[in-house]
Amino acid sequence: MNLTPEQQAILNGEKGEVLAKVMKTLVMYGDAFGAEKLVPVTSKYGHTVISFGINTMKPVYDLYDQLLASGVKFQQKFTADPLPLDPNVPSNLLQDLVFKQFMYKLQPRYEEQLRRMGMKDEKDFTCACYFDEVGNIPEKGEVLSWAESSAVVYANSVLGARCNRNSGIIDVMGSMLGYVPYFGLLTDEGRKATWVVEVKTTKKPEAQLLGSAIGMKVMEDVPYIRGLDAWLGTELNKDNKAYLKDFGAATASNGAVGLYHIEHLTPEAVEQGDALIAPGAQVYVVDDAELERVKASYPVIWKNPNAKPKLAFIGCPHLTMDQLIDWIYSQLVGFFGNFFSAMGNMGVELFDMPWVQSIVLFFSYLGWALYGVCLVVAVFEVGIECQTGRANVKDAALNAIKGFLAVGCFTLVPVELYKLSVTLQASLTAGITGYGEGF
């Protein structure tokens, strides 16, 4: 690797043994991937993936103690992945014993290390550091020293920044020195797409499912996705950014995607178009059948595959504020809609009770009895009118038919209409709000 005089001096130990070891680590990392040089980290903030203070990672914390003891100053502040425990969630004595005294016994030590190394803010623990609420939003073309697969793929694809899929510790070392090896997704060539994905679905694909399908197919390669703009449009608005956040996370976790391009939507695809596609790129077609195949391939690990879930964990990556509000709103509206529907169904079920059916049958017989009496009276009236020459048999027959239909529907139509209205209310409420469903 070709180092600048300043970088070589650090490697030679002129700025201390600790920095020399950090530089050697980054050089060896770059050599492993064929990097020819180190380039400056140009973003304002870094991001580290390690945020859990578990006993098995004690060597990491010992290493960080050495870095801090050397007095080295970090070149940039950083954000970190979510904490394992939320201090705002109440816990009982047993939970405190298991989690705080055993599983995450080293958490206080590690959080103090992060603070001393340059944590941006004590609240900036999130896998979605690029949210406006956090403020770690790199500019297009900036070079990053990040880890966290979902954040890296978002920064590369949606923001147009440049970052490799670094590991934990490497991310911190890059922020510490202010340099990272130049290879892979930092290079123009490494950002070329070696897959063309054609989305040919009949409706907007579910973000995580589409991302999973593409991730499992292309693995660590770069896909150029066509057809998705038909459902998302060509504007990177907040809804599309939320969709791409979830989509990208799935490509990175079910595969190893660090960058994707979406035709007419993501920055580099808008600027360069088909020029981003490498010669000989493979083609992958995603239609409704392919998504169903991928969904059906997911393993079911429950003992009873038909069991109804009791709890659902959402928010990985973290939800946007709009996603959170929309989901809560739909659940509340859906809940009350289903509640009133259930109350209505209680009325519907009354008509299945024997004593209620007896009452309905009584009124049905009463209606037919009254119809019979009226029909006899009408016949006599027509007979009398015939003697005076004023009879209208046609009107009398029509009235008889109307009466027959009215009595026939007297105890049937109101009950069935009531049942239909309750069913429509429940269906429309669930359909409009998405109650009980995901995003």
Side-chain angles (χ1 to χ4, degrees), residues 121-164:
D121 187 275
E122 62 180 9
K123 295 181 179 180
D124 287 344
F125 289 95
T126 174
C127 52
C129 57
Y130 42 81
F131 283 174
D132 292 340
E133 293 86 349
V134 182
N136 189 355
I137 310 172
E139 298 290 335
K140 182 177 180 297
E142 286 188 335
V143 175
L144 317 180
S145 181
W146 285 17
E148 164 53 46
S149 60
S150 69
V152 168
V153 72
Y154 185 94
N156 277 321
S157 309
V158 182
L159 302 179
R162 299 200 168 199
C163 185
N164 283 312

mmCIF file of all heavy atoms in Angstrom, residues 121-164:
data_model
loop_
_atom_site.group_PDB
_atom_site.id
_atom_site.type_symbol
_atom_site.label_atom_id
_atom_site.label_comp_id
_atom_site.label_asym_id
_atom_site.label_seq_id
_atom_site.Cartn_x
_atom_site.Cartn_y
_atom_site.Cartn_z
ATOM 1 N N ASP A 121 -23.669 12.251 21.168
ATOM 2 C CA ASP A 121 -24.630 12.645 22.199
ATOM 3 C C ASP A 121 -25.026 11.393 22.959
ATOM 4 O O ASP A 121 -25.072 10.305 22.394
ATOM 5 C CB ASP A 121 -25.863 13.301 21.568
ATOM 6 C CG ASP A 121 -26.806 13.888 22.604
ATOM 7 O OD1 ASP A 121 -27.652 13.139 23.122
ATOM 8 O OD2 ASP A 121 -26.684 15.094 22.918
ATOM 9 N N GLU A 122 -25.341 11.544 24.228
ATOM 10 C CA GLU A 122 -25.674 10.371 25.046
ATOM 11 C C GLU A 122 -26.965 9.689 24.601
ATOM 12 O O GLU A 122 -27.238 8.546 24.990
ATOM 13 C CB GLU A 122 -25.802 10.778 26.518
ATOM 14 C CG GLU A 122 -26.909 11.786 26.787
ATOM 15 C CD GLU A 122 -27.010 12.162 28.259
ATOM 16 O OE1 GLU A 122 -26.106 11.772 29.025
ATOM 17 O OE2 GLU A 122 -27.983 12.826 28.624
ATOM 18 N N LYS A 123 -27.747 10.364 23.753
ATOM 19 C CA LYS A 123 -28.999 9.776 23.267
ATOM 20 C C LYS A 123 -28.852 9.190 21.863
ATOM 21 O O LYS A 123 -29.811 8.615 21.343
ATOM 22 C CB LYS A 123 -30.104 10.837 23.255
ATOM 23 C CG LYS A 123 -30.486 11.354 24.630
ATOM 24 C CD LYS A 123 -31.610 12.371 24.518
ATOM 25 C CE LYS A 123 -32.016 12.889 25.896
ATOM 26 N NZ LYS A 123 -33.113 13.892 25.800
ATOM 27 N N ASP A 124 -27.693 9.331 21.252
ATOM 28 C CA ASP A 124 -27.537 8.938 19.852
ATOM 29 C C ASP A 124 -27.195 7.459 19.688
ATOM 30 O O ASP A 124 -26.214 7.086 19.033
ATOM 31 C CB ASP A 124 -26.461 9.799 19.176
ATOM 32 C CG ASP A 124 -26.951 11.211 18.926
ATOM 33 O OD1 ASP A 124 -28.167 11.433 18.995
ATOM 34 O OD2 ASP A 124 -26.105 12.095 18.686
ATOM 35 N N PHE A 125 -28.011 6.604 20.281
ATOM 36 C CA PHE A 125 -27.880 5.165 20.103
ATOM 37 C C PHE A 125 -28.993 4.707 19.170
ATOM 38 O O PHE A 125 -30.146 4.557 19.582
ATOM 39 C CB PHE A 125 -27.975 4.431 21.446
ATOM 40 C CG PHE A 125 -26.788 4.631 22.344
ATOM 41 C CD1 PHE A 125 -26.793 5.610 23.322
ATOM 42 C CD2 PHE A 125 -25.660 3.836 22.206
ATOM 43 C CE1 PHE A 125 -25.704 5.790 24.156
ATOM 44 C CE2 PHE A 125 -24.562 4.005 23.035
ATOM 45 C CZ PHE A 125 -24.575 4.987 24.011
ATOM 46 N N THR A 126 -28.673 4.476 17.912
ATOM 47 C CA THR A 126 -29.676 4.074 16.927
ATOM 48 C C THR A 126 -29.001 3.433 15.731
ATOM 49 O O THR A 126 -27.870 3.786 15.383
ATOM 50 C CB THR A 126 -30.508 5.280 16.455
ATOM 51 O OG1 THR A 126 -31.373 4.867 15.393
ATOM 52 C CG2 THR A 126 -29.619 6.417 15.967
ATOM 53 N N CYS A 127 -29.690 2.492 15.110
ATOM 54 C CA CYS A 127 -29.165 1.894 13.878
ATOM 55 C C CYS A 127 -29.522 2.751 12.668
ATOM 56 O O CYS A 127 -29.093 2.451 11.554
ATOM 57 C CB CYS A 127 -29.703 0.479 13.705
ATOM 58 S SG CYS A 127 -31.495 0.352 13.830
ATOM 59 N N ALA A 128 -30.322 3.792 12.880
ATOM 60 C CA ALA A 128 -30.714 4.704 11.800
ATOM 61 C C ALA A 128 -30.185 6.098 12.125
ATOM 62 O O ALA A 128 -30.950 7.043 12.322
ATOM 63 C CB ALA A 128 -32.223 4.712 11.619
ATOM 64 N N CYS A 129 -28.876 6.223 12.180
ATOM 65 C CA CYS A 129 -28.235 7.473 12.594
ATOM 66 C C CYS A 129 -28.470 8.604 11.613
ATOM 67 O O CYS A 129 -28.224 9.775 11.931
ATOM 68 C CB CYS A 129 -26.734 7.258 12.778
ATOM 69 S SG CYS A 129 -25.918 6.622 11.297
ATOM 70 N N TYR A 130 -28.966 8.274 10.421
ATOM 71 C CA TYR A 130 -29.187 9.273 9.372
ATOM 72 C C TYR A 130 -30.544 9.976 9.499
ATOM 73 O O TYR A 130 -30.904 10.780 8.638
ATOM 74 C CB TYR A 130 -29.087 8.600 7.994
ATOM 75 C CG TYR A 130 -29.784 7.247 7.961
ATOM 76 C CD1 TYR A 130 -31.158 7.149 7.801
ATOM 77 C CD2 TYR A 130 -29.060 6.082 8.141
ATOM 78 C CE1 TYR A 130 -31.795 5.928 7.796
ATOM 79 C CE2 TYR A 130 -29.682 4.848 8.146
ATOM 80 C CZ TYR A 130 -31.054 4.779 7.979
ATOM 81 O OH TYR A 130 -31.679 3.560 7.993
ATOM 82 N N PHE A 131 -31.331 9.645 10.535
ATOM 83 C CA PHE A 131 -32.594 10.347 10.759
ATOM 84 C C PHE A 131 -32.331 11.811 11.074
ATOM 85 O O PHE A 131 -31.306 12.163 11.682
ATOM 86 C CB PHE A 131 -33.367 9.722 11.918
ATOM 87 C CG PHE A 131 -34.076 8.440 11.575
ATOM 88 C CD1 PHE A 131 -34.714 7.716 12.570
ATOM 89 C CD2 PHE A 131 -34.115 7.959 10.282
ATOM 90 C CE1 PHE A 131 -35.384 6.538 12.280
ATOM 91 C CE2 PHE A 131 -34.769 6.774 9.974
ATOM 92 C CZ PHE A 131 -35.405 6.068 10.973
ATOM 93 N N ASP A 132 -33.278 12.658 10.719
ATOM 94 C CA ASP A 132 -33.148 14.086 11.019
ATOM 95 C C ASP A 132 -33.017 14.323 12.519
ATOM 96 O O ASP A 132 -32.312 15.238 12.950
ATOM 97 C CB ASP A 132 -34.365 14.844 10.485
ATOM 98 C CG ASP A 132 -34.414 14.868 8.967
ATOM 99 O OD1 ASP A 132 -33.353 14.648 8.348
ATOM 100 O OD2 ASP A 132 -35.501 15.102 8.400
ATOM 101 N N GLU A 133 -33.708 13.483 13.316
ATOM 102 C CA GLU A 133 -33.678 13.665 14.764
ATOM 103 C C GLU A 133 -32.291 13.414 15.349
ATOM 104 O O GLU A 133 -31.960 13.917 16.427
ATOM 105 C CB GLU A 133 -34.685 12.715 15.443
ATOM 106 C CG GLU A 133 -36.134 13.016 15.153
ATOM 107 C CD GLU A 133 -36.630 12.368 13.871
ATOM 108 O OE1 GLU A 133 -35.802 11.853 13.084
ATOM 109 O OE2 GLU A 133 -37.852 12.383 13.643
ATOM 110 N N VAL A 134 -31.478 12.627 14.648
ATOM 111 C CA VAL A 134 -30.128 12.305 15.122
ATOM 112 C C VAL A 134 -29.094 13.243 14.509
ATOM 113 O O VAL A 134 -28.195 13.729 15.199
ATOM 114 C CB VAL A 134 -29.775 10.836 14.796
ATOM 115 C CG1 VAL A 134 -28.389 10.476 15.337
ATOM 116 C CG2 VAL A 134 -30.833 9.896 15.375
ATOM 117 N N GLY A 135 -29.213 13.476 13.222
ATOM 118 C CA GLY A 135 -28.348 14.467 12.588
ATOM 119 C C GLY A 135 -27.058 13.966 11.997
ATOM 120 O O GLY A 135 -26.229 14.759 11.561
ATOM 121 N N ASN A 136 -26.855 12.655 11.958
ATOM 122 C CA ASN A 136 -25.651 12.096 11.333
ATOM 123 C C ASN A 136 -25.972 11.797 9.870
ATOM 124 O O ASN A 136 -26.150 10.641 9.478
ATOM 125 C CB ASN A 136 -25.198 10.844 12.077
ATOM 126 C CG ASN A 136 -23.840 10.344 11.601
ATOM 127 O OD1 ASN A 136 -23.268 10.870 10.657
ATOM 128 N ND2 ASN A 136 -23.325 9.325 12.259
ATOM 129 N N ILE A 137 -26.040 12.839 9.059
ATOM 130 C CA ILE A 137 -26.487 12.721 7.668
ATOM 131 C C ILE A 137 -25.351 13.146 6.745
ATOM 132 O O ILE A 137 -25.126 14.344 6.531
ATOM 133 C CB ILE A 137 -27.723 13.603 7.414
ATOM 134 C CG1 ILE A 137 -28.796 13.351 8.486
ATOM 135 C CG2 ILE A 137 -28.282 13.341 6.017
ATOM 136 C CD1 ILE A 137 -29.959 14.309 8.405
ATOM 137 N N PRO A 138 -24.615 12.203 6.207
ATOM 138 C CA PRO A 138 -23.489 12.566 5.326
ATOM 139 C C PRO A 138 -23.960 13.148 4.001
ATOM 140 O O PRO A 138 -25.074 12.865 3.531
ATOM 141 C CB PRO A 138 -22.765 11.238 5.120
ATOM 142 C CG PRO A 138 -23.807 10.192 5.340
ATOM 143 C CD PRO A 138 -24.730 10.745 6.384
ATOM 144 N N GLU A 139 -23.097 13.938 3.385
ATOM 145 C CA GLU A 139 -23.395 14.517 2.079
ATOM 146 C C GLU A 139 -22.987 13.546 0.968
ATOM 147 O O GLU A 139 -22.191 12.626 1.172
ATOM 148 C CB GLU A 139 -22.631 15.828 1.910
ATOM 149 C CG GLU A 139 -22.992 16.906 2.925
ATOM 150 C CD GLU A 139 -24.379 17.467 2.705
ATOM 151 O OE1 GLU A 139 -24.865 17.399 1.548
ATOM 152 O OE2 GLU A 139 -24.985 17.971 3.673
ATOM 153 N N LYS A 140 -23.558 13.768 -0.203
ATOM 154 C CA LYS A 140 -23.231 12.936 -1.353
ATOM 155 C C LYS A 140 -21.728 13.021 -1.645
ATOM 156 O O LYS A 140 -21.141 14.100 -1.672
ATOM 157 C CB LYS A 140 -24.026 13.396 -2.569
ATOM 158 C CG LYS A 140 -23.799 12.557 -3.815
ATOM 159 C CD LYS A 140 -24.676 13.043 -4.956
ATOM 160 C CE LYS A 140 -24.454 12.201 -6.197
ATOM 161 N NZ LYS A 140 -23.084 12.301 -6.722
ATOM 162 N N GLY A 141 -21.108 11.858 -1.828
ATOM 163 C CA GLY A 141 -19.692 11.786 -2.171
ATOM 164 C C GLY A 141 -18.755 11.751 -0.983
ATOM 165 O O GLY A 141 -17.557 11.497 -1.157
ATOM 166 N N GLU A 142 -19.256 11.998 0.235
ATOM 167 C CA GLU A 142 -18.377 11.971 1.411
ATOM 168 C C GLU A 142 -17.939 10.553 1.726
ATOM 169 O O GLU A 142 -18.685 9.588 1.548
ATOM 170 C CB GLU A 142 -19.086 12.584 2.621
ATOM 171 C CG GLU A 142 -19.217 14.093 2.562
ATOM 172 C CD GLU A 142 -19.756 14.688 3.844
ATOM 173 O OE1 GLU A 142 -20.454 13.972 4.598
ATOM 174 O OE2 GLU A 142 -19.491 15.879 4.094
ATOM 175 N N VAL A 143 -16.707 10.431 2.212
ATOM 176 C CA VAL A 143 -16.147 9.131 2.594
ATOM 177 C C VAL A 143 -16.397 8.909 4.084
ATOM 178 O O VAL A 143 -16.111 9.775 4.913
ATOM 179 C CB VAL A 143 -14.638 9.077 2.295
ATOM 180 C CG1 VAL A 143 -14.030 7.767 2.795
ATOM 181 C CG2 VAL A 143 -14.391 9.240 0.796
ATOM 182 N N LEU A 144 -16.944 7.720 4.423
ATOM 183 C CA LEU A 144 -17.344 7.421 5.799
ATOM 184 C C LEU A 144 -16.495 6.311 6.400
ATOM 185 O O LEU A 144 -15.924 5.478 5.679
ATOM 186 C CB LEU A 144 -18.808 6.979 5.848
ATOM 187 C CG LEU A 144 -19.836 7.745 5.004
ATOM 188 C CD1 LEU A 144 -21.221 7.145 5.201
ATOM 189 C CD2 LEU A 144 -19.833 9.220 5.362
ATOM 190 N N SER A 145 -16.469 6.291 7.727
ATOM 191 C CA SER A 145 -15.920 5.144 8.449
ATOM 192 C C SER A 145 -17.023 4.621 9.356
ATOM 193 O O SER A 145 -17.035 4.849 10.557
ATOM 194 C CB SER A 145 -14.689 5.548 9.271
ATOM 195 O OG SER A 145 -14.156 4.415 9.945
ATOM 196 N N TRP A 146 -17.990 3.948 8.746
ATOM 197 C CA TRP A 146 -19.163 3.433 9.453
ATOM 198 C C TRP A 146 -19.151 1.907 9.460
ATOM 199 O O TRP A 146 -18.565 1.256 8.597
ATOM 200 C CB TRP A 146 -20.449 3.866 8.756
ATOM 201 C CG TRP A 146 -20.848 5.301 8.944
ATOM 202 C CD1 TRP A 146 -20.073 6.329 9.382
ATOM 203 C CD2 TRP A 146 -22.133 5.861 8.636
ATOM 204 N NE1 TRP A 146 -20.796 7.500 9.392
ATOM 205 C CE2 TRP A 146 -22.060 7.241 8.935
ATOM 206 C CE3 TRP A 146 -23.325 5.355 8.153
ATOM 207 C CZ2 TRP A 146 -23.147 8.103 8.759
ATOM 208 C CZ3 TRP A 146 -24.408 6.198 7.969
ATOM 209 C CH2 TRP A 146 -24.322 7.559 8.275
ATOM 210 N N ALA A 147 -19.822 1.352 10.455
ATOM 211 C CA ALA A 147 -20.270 -0.033 10.420
ATOM 212 C C ALA A 147 -21.751 0.000 10.777
ATOM 213 O O ALA A 147 -22.247 1.018 11.255
ATOM 214 C CB ALA A 147 -19.487 -0.897 11.401
ATOM 215 N N GLU A 148 -22.437 -1.110 10.612
ATOM 216 C CA GLU A 148 -23.896 -1.302 10.729
ATOM 217 C C GLU A 148 -24.454 -1.406 9.317
ATOM 218 O O GLU A 148 -24.588 -0.419 8.582
ATOM 219 C CB GLU A 148 -24.596 -0.177 11.494
ATOM 220 C CG GLU A 148 -26.107 -0.113 11.320
ATOM 221 C CD GLU A 148 -26.813 -1.427 11.628
ATOM 222 O OE1 GLU A 148 -26.513 -2.054 12.664
ATOM 223 O OE2 GLU A 148 -27.668 -1.840 10.830
ATOM 224 N N SER A 149 -24.765 -2.640 8.925
ATOM 225 C CA SER A 149 -25.078 -2.925 7.521
ATOM 226 C C SER A 149 -26.228 -2.091 6.977
ATOM 227 O O SER A 149 -26.181 -1.617 5.842
ATOM 228 C CB SER A 149 -25.381 -4.422 7.357
ATOM 229 O OG SER A 149 -26.497 -4.795 8.156
ATOM 230 N N SER A 150 -27.295 -1.907 7.770
ATOM 231 C CA SER A 150 -28.448 -1.162 7.259
ATOM 232 C C SER A 150 -28.124 0.317 7.087
ATOM 233 O O SER A 150 -28.647 0.980 6.183
ATOM 234 C CB SER A 150 -29.649 -1.326 8.196
ATOM 235 O OG SER A 150 -29.441 -0.672 9.438
ATOM 236 N N ALA A 151 -27.266 0.868 7.953
ATOM 237 C CA ALA A 151 -26.880 2.276 7.843
ATOM 238 C C ALA A 151 -25.934 2.480 6.665
ATOM 239 O O ALA A 151 -26.043 3.475 5.932
ATOM 240 C CB ALA A 151 -26.221 2.744 9.135
ATOM 241 N N VAL A 152 -25.013 1.547 6.459
ATOM 242 C CA VAL A 152 -24.048 1.668 5.357
ATOM 243 C C VAL A 152 -24.760 1.619 4.006
ATOM 244 O O VAL A 152 -24.494 2.438 3.121
ATOM 245 C CB VAL A 152 -22.984 0.556 5.452
ATOM 246 C CG1 VAL A 152 -22.166 0.480 4.164
ATOM 247 C CG2 VAL A 152 -22.065 0.809 6.634
ATOM 248 N N VAL A 153 -25.685 0.668 3.837
ATOM 249 C CA VAL A 153 -26.367 0.548 2.551
ATOM 250 C C VAL A 153 -27.262 1.749 2.299
ATOM 251 O O VAL A 153 -27.428 2.194 1.152
ATOM 252 C CB VAL A 153 -27.157 -0.783 2.470
ATOM 253 C CG1 VAL A 153 -28.390 -0.759 3.356
ATOM 254 C CG2 VAL A 153 -27.551 -1.089 1.027
ATOM 255 N N TYR A 154 -27.830 2.334 3.344
ATOM 256 C CA TYR A 154 -28.649 3.536 3.182
ATOM 257 C C TYR A 154 -27.773 4.727 2.785
ATOM 258 O O TYR A 154 -28.115 5.481 1.864
ATOM 259 C CB TYR A 154 -29.400 3.839 4.474
ATOM 260 C CG TYR A 154 -30.373 4.997 4.357
ATOM 261 C CD1 TYR A 154 -31.718 4.775 4.056
ATOM 262 C CD2 TYR A 154 -29.963 6.311 4.552
ATOM 263 C CE1 TYR A 154 -32.619 5.834 3.949
ATOM 264 C CE2 TYR A 154 -30.848 7.375 4.445
ATOM 265 C CZ TYR A 154 -32.170 7.122 4.140
ATOM 266 O OH TYR A 154 -33.058 8.180 4.024
ATOM 267 N N ALA A 155 -26.662 4.891 3.478
ATOM 268 C CA ALA A 155 -25.774 6.016 3.183
ATOM 269 C C ALA A 155 -25.249 5.936 1.754
ATOM 270 O O ALA A 155 -25.207 6.946 1.036
ATOM 271 C CB ALA A 155 -24.616 6.039 4.175
ATOM 272 N N ASN A 156 -24.850 4.745 1.326
ATOM 273 C CA ASN A 156 -24.337 4.577 -0.030
ATOM 274 C C ASN A 156 -25.411 4.805 -1.085
ATOM 275 O O ASN A 156 -25.183 5.497 -2.081
ATOM 276 C CB ASN A 156 -23.774 3.161 -0.206
ATOM 277 C CG ASN A 156 -22.353 3.019 0.312
ATOM 278 O OD1 ASN A 156 -21.532 3.907 0.144
ATOM 279 N ND2 ASN A 156 -22.059 1.891 0.945
ATOM 280 N N SER A 157 -26.571 4.216 -0.874
ATOM 281 C CA SER A 157 -27.587 4.154 -1.918
ATOM 282 C C SER A 157 -28.474 5.393 -1.958
ATOM 283 O O SER A 157 -28.677 5.983 -3.024
ATOM 284 C CB SER A 157 -28.461 2.911 -1.710
ATOM 285 O OG SER A 157 -27.675 1.752 -1.555
ATOM 286 N N VAL A 158 -29.022 5.779 -0.808
ATOM 287 C CA VAL A 158 -30.011 6.865 -0.751
ATOM 288 C C VAL A 158 -29.344 8.229 -0.651
ATOM 289 O O VAL A 158 -29.824 9.205 -1.226
ATOM 290 C CB VAL A 158 -30.977 6.644 0.427
ATOM 291 C CG1 VAL A 158 -32.035 7.743 0.480
ATOM 292 C CG2 VAL A 158 -31.651 5.275 0.319
ATOM 293 N N LEU A 159 -28.225 8.299 0.072
ATOM 294 C CA LEU A 159 -27.545 9.575 0.269
ATOM 295 C C LEU A 159 -26.389 9.794 -0.707
ATOM 296 O O LEU A 159 -25.914 10.918 -0.860
ATOM 297 C CB LEU A 159 -27.028 9.674 1.711
ATOM 298 C CG LEU A 159 -28.100 9.545 2.800
ATOM 299 C CD1 LEU A 159 -27.464 9.629 4.175
ATOM 300 C CD2 LEU A 159 -29.180 10.604 2.641
ATOM 301 N N GLY A 160 -25.914 8.716 -1.320
ATOM 302 C CA GLY A 160 -24.817 8.853 -2.277
ATOM 303 C C GLY A 160 -23.456 9.026 -1.630
ATOM 304 O O GLY A 160 -22.506 9.464 -2.286
ATOM 305 N N ALA A 161 -23.342 8.709 -0.332
ATOM 306 C CA ALA A 161 -22.037 8.745 0.335
ATOM 307 C C ALA A 161 -21.237 7.508 -0.060
ATOM 308 O O ALA A 161 -21.728 6.650 -0.815
ATOM 309 C CB ALA A 161 -22.227 8.812 1.844
ATOM 310 N N ARG A 162 -20.014 7.386 0.460
ATOM 311 C CA ARG A 162 -19.161 6.256 0.080
ATOM 312 C C ARG A 162 -18.605 5.579 1.331
ATOM 313 O O ARG A 162 -17.904 6.209 2.125
ATOM 314 C CB ARG A 162 -18.033 6.711 -0.843
ATOM 315 C CG ARG A 162 -18.556 7.314 -2.136
ATOM 316 C CD ARG A 162 -17.548 7.325 -3.246
ATOM 317 N NE ARG A 162 -18.173 7.654 -4.530
ATOM 318 C CZ ARG A 162 -17.660 7.399 -5.716
ATOM 319 N NH1 ARG A 162 -16.473 6.796 -5.792
ATOM 320 N NH2 ARG A 162 -18.295 7.710 -6.825
ATOM 321 N N CYS A 163 -18.936 4.295 1.462
ATOM 322 C CA CYS A 163 -18.511 3.552 2.654
ATOM 323 C C CYS A 163 -18.536 2.066 2.358
ATOM 324 O O CYS A 163 -19.459 1.574 1.707
ATOM 325 C CB CYS A 163 -19.455 3.867 3.819
ATOM 326 S SG CYS A 163 -18.955 3.139 5.388
ATOM 327 N N ASN A 164 -17.520 1.360 2.820
ATOM 328 C CA ASN A 164 -17.522 -0.097 2.716
ATOM 329 C C ASN A 164 -18.264 -0.707 3.896
ATOM 330 O O ASN A 164 -18.570 -0.028 4.879
ATOM 331 C CB ASN A 164 -16.085 -0.630 2.655
ATOM 332 C CG ASN A 164 -15.458 -0.441 1.286
ATOM 333 O OD1 ASN A 164 -16.063 -0.773 0.265
ATOM 334 N ND2 ASN A 164 -14.253 0.120 1.253
#
